[in-house]
Amino acid sequence: MTSTSSAARYDLAVVGAGIVGLATALAAVRRGLRAIVIDRDAQANGASVRNFGFITVTGQERGAMWQRARRSREVWGEVALAAGIPVVHTGLWMTARRAESLGVLEAFMATEMAAGCRLLDAAEARRRCPSIAAPDLLAVLESSLEARVESRTAIPRLAGWLAEAHGVAFLRGTAALAVEPYGVRTSRGAVRADHVAVCPGDDFSGLYPERLAAHALTRCKLQMLRLAAPGFRLPGALMSDLGLGRYQGYAALPAAARLKERLAAEQPAHLRHGVHLIVVQSSDGTLVVGDSHHYSATPDPFSLEEVDELIRQEFRAALGIEPPPTLERWTGTYASAADRPVLIDAPEARVRVAIVTCGAGASTGFAIGEELVASLLDTGGGA
Ligand SMILES: Cc1cc2nc3c(=O)[nH]c(=O)nc-3n(C[C@H](O)[C@H](O)[C@H](O)COP(=O)(O)OP(=O)(O)OC[C@H]3O[C@@H](n4cnc5c(N)ncnc54)[C@H](O)[C@@H]3O)c2cc1C
């Protein structure tokens, strides 16, 4: 942990060392600012290290989120190279086993969001990856844009690189208690800063709780699994029909209505638990597989075996193989809002709050960091 002397003064204090806070610190130093990041945990422990590390462009909500994902993917490429963060694999295979799903993929291919994508028929997909053997596979949307990093090592590496290469100060094991005229009051004293970016993830009761309360935020709990190596390499991150009914870039297309009706009839338990399938691979061949979605102000910490089994069922159906043994289970939570994918608030001219409210922070965080810093420096955030 780097500490800060009470005499030090920063251009920007960032609260939160998850991907959104780190991205904001990066955007700040790229614009020549001196930045400090404050986090209550001794090491990264929030959504940013519990996720798939799946940096997704294709399937993000059309418009601003898709644009943010494209920009963030660019920055991930730069940062991975500079910070020595391995990109474990690239690309996406969105598999379709229903005629209605194929309809969604065809509609998607007719949009501007199909840039970097190809539709493979089942024969070509089998030729490319014979190990994916679902007998009812109809087609695969192949996207070249995605990247996968191992979040539990990538996020600490990103923080280390910000400190070493860019001089960002880190104050860990320290709660930010209030934004004050001089900067931030913390559990370990004053941090002096001209601007403050609050990136608290799904903590809505720390800073600006009254303002956050006006936005009907809630939290989403997800169940995740690590499965043993299946003995082959994935051609990219793999998803299934359930994802076409959930990810807004596909699900908001009119063609998705018929698919959603069919999924509701055929997979009610999956939909009740918000289960859809993402499979990504680690460098040792093991698979990170999920997930589920349960919403509550304070999600319980318990994993339901019934939900794990629904995830494994979808794995079995989409890949046509028996799921390898489960090696690890964990849950994670992220902020959620029904009416927006990101909340950016300006409670004071020199303060911004940013909360990703849709479970896409790894994919959009770098763009959001740039927006925050631009908004503070360029549009009335004070000198
Ligand atoms: C299981 C799971 C899978 C996911 N998969 C993906 C995926 O594949 N792709 C994708 O794009 N997104 C994914 N997401 C979503 C993504 O992980 C989140 O959107 C993103 O990590 C949010 O980042 P953050 O920095 O806002 O929050 P966090 O990572 O939660 O970080 C917030 C930090 O703020 C600190 N903090 C809060 N308040 C204070 C305070 N007052 N004082 C000091 N410190 C404070 C916390 O300690 C924490 O470290 C997933 C999320 C989960 C849970």
Side-chain angles (χ1 to χ4, degrees):
M1 183 187 71
T2 306
S3 65
T4 174
S5 89
S6 57
R9 181 161 198 98
Y10 297 88
D11 299 307
L12 177 69
V14 179
V15 177
I19 184 62
V20 178
L22 297 180
T24 304
L26 174 64
V29 295
R30 282 182 161 182
R31 293 197 56 172
L33 304 187
R34 289 188 66 212
I36 181 166
V37 178
I38 303 162
D39 200 293
R40 66 160 66 92
D41 275 322
Q43 60 180 41
N45 196 40
S48 300
V49 289
R50 298 179 188 220
N51 61 28
F52 293 92
F54 179 30
I55 297 146
T56 323
V57 176
T58 299
Q60 296 290 355
E61 186 176 325
R62 200 171 199 167
M65 285 304 271
W66 185 66
Q67 294 294 358
R68 284 174 172 137
R70 282 161 64 94
R71 171 64 190 149
S72 297
R73 173 65 180 89
E74 240 170 56
V75 179
W76 265 113
E78 296 158 10
V79 162
L81 201 64
I85 296 171
V87 172
V88 186
H89 57 74
T90 56
L92 160 71
W93 268 31
M94 172 57 89
T95 63
R97 291 177 290 111
R98 293 172 175 84
E100 292 83 351
S101 304
L102 181 54
V104 177
L105 294 186
E106 286 168 346
F108 183 85
M109 288 303 291
T111 72
E112 75 288 359
M113 299 183 289
C117 299
R118 281 197 324 134
L119 202 51
L120 312 180
D121 64 20
E124 189 178 355
R126 288 205 180 89
R127 204 164 42 246
R128 293 267 308 281
C129 187
S131 304
I132 293 175
D136 50 355
L137 181 71
L138 285 181
V140 171
L141 175 80
E142 182 182 41
S143 164
S144 61
L145 305 175
E146 283 60 36
R148 201 256 152 174
V149 298
E150 193 71 58
S151 293
R152 61 180 77 177
T153 50
I155 295 296
R157 183 68 214 121
L158 174 57
W161 173 73
L162 285 170
E164 293 150 20
H166 292 288
V168 174
F170 280 83
L171 197 53
R172 296 199 184 266
T174 305
L177 303 176
V179 176
E180 303 284 1
Y182 62 77
V184 182
R185 177 158 54 86
T186 80
S187 54
R188 293 167 28 145
V191 171
R192 295 182 195 285
D194 296 335
H195 303 95
V196 181
V198 180
C199 310
D202 64 351
D203 182 325
F204 314 137
S205 58
L207 301 177
Y208 301 106
E210 306 83 8
R211 284 185 78 95
L212 294 183
H215 292 288
L217 300 173
T218 189
R219 296 165 81 202
C220 178
K221 170 185 135 186
L222 297 83
Q223 288 187 207
M224 302 282 286
L225 303 171
R226 184 179 292 273
L227 306 185
F232 62 88
R233 298 301 304 181
L234 290 180
L238 193 134
M239 297 175 69
S240 73
D241 304 47
L242 285 169
L244 291 171
R246 185 170 183 98
Y247 264 60
Q248 285 306 301
Y250 318 108
L253 296 171
R258 287 184 52 220
L259 172 65
K260 285 187 227 171
E261 274 171 30
R262 186 163 170 193
L263 292 174
E266 291 179 357
Q267 296 193 277
H270 287 81
L271 297 195
R272 197 166 55 252
H273 292 288
V275 168
H276 75 136
L277 186 74
I278 298 179
V279 185
V280 296
Q281 197 158 31
S282 293
S283 51
D284 63 0
T286 61
L287 303 174
V288 175
V289 181
D291 52 14
S292 56
H293 297 80
H294 294 101
Y295 297 86
S296 150
T298 300
D300 69 50
F302 309 112
S303 278
L304 277 178
E305 172 56 21
E306 177 195 351
V307 170
D308 287 352
E309 185 46 32
L310 290 170
I311 296 169
R312 283 191 293 259
Q313 259 180 32
E314 186 66 8
F315 178 103
R316 198 177 282 118
L319 283 89
I321 57 170
E322 208 37 46
T326 301
L327 305 177
E328 264 185 348
R329 294 179 172 80
W330 67 96
T331 61
T333 61
Y334 61 66
S336 174
D339 62 341
R340 71 186 77 209
V342 182
L343 170 64
I344 297 181
D345 192 17
E348 301 176 45
R350 63 195 179 87
V351 182
R352 296 293 179 271
V353 178
I355 300 177
V356 180
T357 49
C358 69
S363 307
T364 56
F366 282 120
I368 291 167
E370 289 177 351
E371 285 171 40
L372 283 197
V373 171
S375 144
L376 280 168
L377 295 190
D378 305 337
T379 59

